[in-house]
Amino acid sequence: MVGASEEVELNRLENQVDNGGGGVWEYLCLVRKLKVRRSDKVLKHGLSILNDSKKRSKLGGEEWTLYEQVAVAAIDCQCLDVAKDCIKALQKQFPESRRVGRLEGMLLEAKGLWADAEKAYSSLLEDNSLDQVIHKRRISMAKAQGNVSAAIEGLNKYLDIYMADHDAWRELAEIYVSLQLYKQAAFCYEELILSQPTVPLYHLAYADVLYTLGGIENLQIAKKYYAATIDLTGGKNTRALYGICLCTIALGQLIKGRNKEDKESSELHSLAATVLGKDYKYRAPDKVSLLTATLGNLKLS
Amino acid sequence: MNISFAIGVFGILILSHATYSTIQYRSFLKILEEEFSSPPFNVVVELILGLVLCLWAALAVPGKFLSIHPDSEENRIVSLPANLDFMIFNHRGRALPKDVNMKLKC
């Protein structure tokens, strides 16, 4: 999870290394810890360390982790020769290693040799059939080939065994959303919220899915989850604030015929609108007029 | 920080002096063959003073306290980690021009 202060630190370090200041190793460690995907920067700066033998020897045992990080970044940036060299160096140091075998499989995937990659992964699985990461690589291979139904099937089988893997639940939810199977996606997000209730972004995604599904009950539940997101982020999440406004308006349109019993919802609506206005005034003052116009139109309609 | 450290040392000294006084008072009572119920009033005042000084030092010396609220400005979660286990490589970045100078030497 990337916290606000960690994001600030990451951006600061990124600016620093891009402009030639030091701190490359701290930047690479922070990227590894936060698990963000900055492959082009990691490749450029990681190579600058690896090509300089003095800096490399200063790292000691950590240089192999750096080799792995740079190999993955190179595969992501499609610089396959760099990746091949890194993997060769790792193989010399750690022969018969499962992690290096995984990297080779990823390289084959990136080259597009799906059958060879599949063979490599199956042979690694023969020695150890409980390796989670290799199962996940096979699923992502199915996804990369465009075979989404096979990916879904593979993920369901994987989740039958490893029910606590929230990365897999998240992946499954995103695949379902891309296929517009919102009810199944809602189920996956419910699992995520159950296992990690303090991450506000899962609440937000769940509320989004419910809002998309529509219907009075779903909209009411979506409003509750948008409110939960605002609570967990200290009121700073713009998307959740918008979510509350839109939910209130959609509910108002659906309940137009009946009596409006809940007066407290209009308080929530106006509070959210006020906070949005203040936030825009602070961060994007030239767009405040757009905001007030949109919200005003929606309220009147 | 140094003055808080000095205050802490001073507080500990006051506590040890109070201990010594109590032990002395008790041996004095043993001579008089009286019951030992509680230390004398000035020792109690000294104890309370020592407590306050040590408390102050314990809070001030270790350093800056970190926030524990999950929704505070520095702790709130801004984005989720990219799902690196499910990373795929045939994205549109493949069509971007590569930097030919990127090579692993030695």
Side-chain angles (χ1 to χ4, degrees), chain A residues 200-213:
Chain A
L201 300 169
Y202 295 148
H203 293 262
L204 185 65
Y206 185 50
D208 279 341
V209 169
L210 284 177
Y211 179 70
T212 317
L213 276 172

Side-chain angles (χ1 to χ4, degrees), chain B residues 5-6 11 22-23 33 35 38 40 43 45 49 52 54-55 58-59 63 68 74-76 79 84 102 104 106:
Chain B
F5 191 67
T22 314
I23 295 176
E33 286 176 5
E35 278 294 309
S38 71
V43 176
V45 168
L49 185 65
V52 168
C54 284
L55 211 65
L59 288 175
I68 56 170
E74 61 267 5
N75 279 347
R76 63 190 175 95
S79 56
L84 292 177
M102 300 263 208
L104 183 70
C106 57

Side-chain angles (χ1 to χ4, degrees), chain A residues 191-240:
Chain A
E191 288 281 336
L192 278 172
I193 296 181
L194 265 178
S195 57
Q196 290 183 313
T198 55
V199 178
L201 300 169
Y202 295 148
H203 293 262
L204 185 65
Y206 185 50
D208 279 341
V209 169
L210 284 177
Y211 179 70
T212 317
L213 276 172
I216 294 186
E217 270 180 29
N218 283 338
L219 284 173
Q220 283 171 335
I221 305 179
K223 203 156 79 153
K224 289 206 184 105
Y225 275 95
Y226 279 127
T229 311
I230 295 182
D231 192 19
L232 286 168
T233 54
K236 297 289 174 73
N237 196 319
T238 319
R239 199 179 166 116

Side-chain angles (χ1 to χ4, degrees), chain A residues 127-262:
Chain A
D127 307 326
N128 183 3
S129 64
L130 293 174
D131 193 341
Q132 290 188 343
V133 188
I134 300 207
H135 280 289
K136 289 198 255 196
R137 287 313 314 163
R138 287 171 82 185
I139 294 170
S140 27
M141 238 178 25
K143 193 174 83 163
Q145 287 172 285
N147 194 350
V148 190
S149 44
I152 293 184
E153 207 183 290
L155 263 175
N156 277 320
K157 264 203 316 231
Y158 175 78
L159 284 167
D160 276 338
I161 313 175
Y162 300 101
M163 258 173 275
D165 191 350
H166 43 262
D167 278 339
W169 280 114
R170 204 176 125 204
E171 188 65 28
L172 187 59
E174 284 172 14
I175 293 184
Y176 278 139
V177 166
S178 73
L179 292 175
Q180 299 184 336
L181 301 170
Y182 295 118
K183 281 217 193 64
Q184 286 90 323
F187 177 78
C188 297
Y189 278 125
E190 280 163 13
E191 288 281 336
L192 278 172
I193 296 181
L194 265 178
S195 57
Q196 290 183 313
T198 55
V199 178
L201 300 169
Y202 295 148
H203 293 262
L204 185 65
Y206 185 50
D208 279 341
V209 169
L210 284 177
Y211 179 70
T212 317
L213 276 172
I216 294 186
E217 270 180 29
N218 283 338
L219 284 173
Q220 283 171 335
I221 305 179
K223 203 156 79 153
K224 289 206 184 105
Y225 275 95
Y226 279 127
T229 311
I230 295 182
D231 192 19
L232 286 168
T233 54
K236 297 289 174 73
N237 196 319
T238 319
R239 199 179 166 116
L241 290 165
Y242 268 120
I244 291 217
C245 296
L246 292 173
C247 272
T248 321
I249 290 160
L251 270 172
Q253 278 180 337
L254 282 178
I255 324 182
K256 224 187 272 208
R258 319 190 196 157
N259 324 336
K260 296 206 191 106
E261 314 95 15
D262 41 354

Side-chain angles (χ1 to χ4, degrees), chain A residues 72-140:
Chain A
V72 173
I75 299 178
D76 207 13
C77 294
Q78 208 71 14
C79 295
L80 298 175
D81 342 311
V82 177
K84 198 148 186 61
D85 294 331
C86 290
I87 296 179
K88 243 192 299 203
L90 279 168
Q91 255 170 346
K92 235 183 344 183
Q93 180 72 10
F94 304 106
E96 311 283 340
S97 160
R98 220 164 54 219
R99 257 167 99 167
V100 182
R102 220 157 55 200
L103 284 175
E104 283 177 0
M106 282 204 259
L107 184 62
L108 288 170
E109 261 185 71
K111 284 196 192 149
L113 307 166
W114 307 113
D116 292 337
E118 177 66 41
K119 248 191 316 201
Y121 285 140
S122 331
S123 67
L124 282 169
L125 273 178
E126 263 168 26
D127 307 326
N128 183 3
S129 64
L130 293 174
D131 193 341
Q132 290 188 343
V133 188
I134 300 207
H135 280 289
K136 289 198 255 196
R137 287 313 314 163
R138 287 171 82 185
I139 294 170
S140 27

